[in-house]
Amino acid sequence: MLELRHLKTLHALREADSLVEAAERLHLTQSALSHQFKELEERLGMQLFVRKTKPVRFTSAGLRLLQLADATLPLLRSAERDIARLAGGTAGRLHMAIECHSCFQWLMPTIDQFRDAWPEVELDLASGFAFAPLPALARGDLDLVVTSDPLELAGITYVPLFTYEAMLAVANQHRLAGKPYIVPEDLISETLITYPVERDRLDIFTRFLEPADIEPAQVRTSELTVMMMQLVASGRGVCGMPHWALHEYSSRGYVKAKRLGEKGLFATLYAAVRTDMLDAPYMRDFLLTAKDTSFSTLDGVSAVR
């Protein structure tokens, strides 16, 4: 009666919090996913969740199956890893770098899980802030780079991890705090606080300010997210940041998070991998673990459409 795909779809629905997002994560149409749930509910003779609720509200039967999914799916992943080891490819190297200052928040739990599952893989993590990691990846010095700025390089494949919204952090009493969204002209008189990277790697410049030919009054940099939030909260500037990194501070009332533009400013985070390594069992598992960790720990991320 029950199949693994049923547990996976229920798990995805809980993590995504909507049928649309769950279908995207499972690479299904919303109609196909709805049909799968309807078929299962007819088999069981019970409803699993309440339609058109947000967040999704599960019935007692749905919650019981989620308990089963939580117990079963990690065992399935562990068994798949063991089989991959038996088939070979257990040892190797995974040297990576990140171009995203706020990525440590979810990447470190991913690395911890991976290290436990693949102890024979040589693992190393470097910050890509002081050098150009993508050319290093193409040369073979690195095996994976987390980036939101893909460059077309021979032999490099970009695996999308998730889509996120870039937002503007302002002080609670700031003149922009009450606006429904920010327009480029709002930043003419502002000090813009950014991470210390080139402007052509910052979406707030390349996709928001520069197309409108707008320059902020001043630009200030900081390497630490917490220091940037302290500067914003004290009224010494505004800061562009991914929603999932900003949520920790805005949800506690330290700062306000404002949308950039009426429709928002969205970007995608990628794992850049050398194409010849994509089929390595440990690389496939790392990418799956990274996606699972990001969706379960980060607020406001969605599957790449």
Side-chain angles (χ1 to χ4, degrees), residues 242-294:
H243 174 63
W244 50 267
L246 179 55
H247 178 74
E248 176 183 353
Y249 303 94
S250 61
S251 63
R252 296 179 183 178
Y254 296 156
V255 297
K256 295 281 189 183
K258 309 304 298 183
R259 172 161 278 192
L260 291 167
E262 184 176 4
K263 297 182 179 179
L265 184 63
F266 294 87
T268 298
L269 198 68
Y270 297 90
V273 182
R274 290 202 311 281
T275 304
D276 63 343
M277 287 193 65
L278 275 175
D279 289 332
Y282 63 84
M283 180 63 78
R284 292 201 306 268
D285 187 61
F286 181 86
L287 294 173
L288 285 171
T289 303
K291 289 184 179 182
D292 288 347
T293 303
S294 60

Side-chain angles (χ1 to χ4, degrees), residues 40 46 68 70 74 93 100 115 117 133-134 145 184 208 216 244 253 263 266 268 281 283 291 303:
L40 178 59
M46 297 188 70
L68 179 62
D70 289 337
R93 187 194 80 166
C100 169
R115 187 182 288 112
L134 287 175
V145 174
F208 188 68
W244 50 267
K263 297 182 179 179
F266 294 87
T268 298
M283 180 63 78
K291 289 184 179 182

Side-chain angles (χ1 to χ4, degrees), residues 97-99 127-129 131-138 142 145-146 201:
I98 58 175
E99 290 189 327
S127 164
F129 312 139
F131 67 100
L134 287 175
L137 176 67
L142 295 171
V145 174
V146 178
R201 290 170 55 191

Side-chain angles (χ1 to χ4, degrees), residues 13 19 33-42 46-59:
L13 179 59
L19 275 173
L33 187 60
S34 296
H35 179 75
Q36 186 180 129
F37 279 125
K38 183 178 179 182
E39 180 186 35
L40 178 59
E41 288 175 331
E42 288 176 350
M46 297 188 70
Q47 191 174 358
L48 296 175
F49 65 96
V50 181
R51 266 65 173 177
K52 298 181 180 179
T53 60
K54 193 167 180 66
V56 175
R57 186 154 52 89
F58 291 92
T59 64

Side-chain angles (χ1 to χ4, degrees), residues 98 100-109 125-129 244:
I98 58 175
C100 169
H101 281 70
S102 46
C103 284
F104 286 105
Q105 177 179 341
W106 62 269
L107 189 58
M108 296 312 296
L125 173 65
S127 164
F129 312 139
W244 50 267

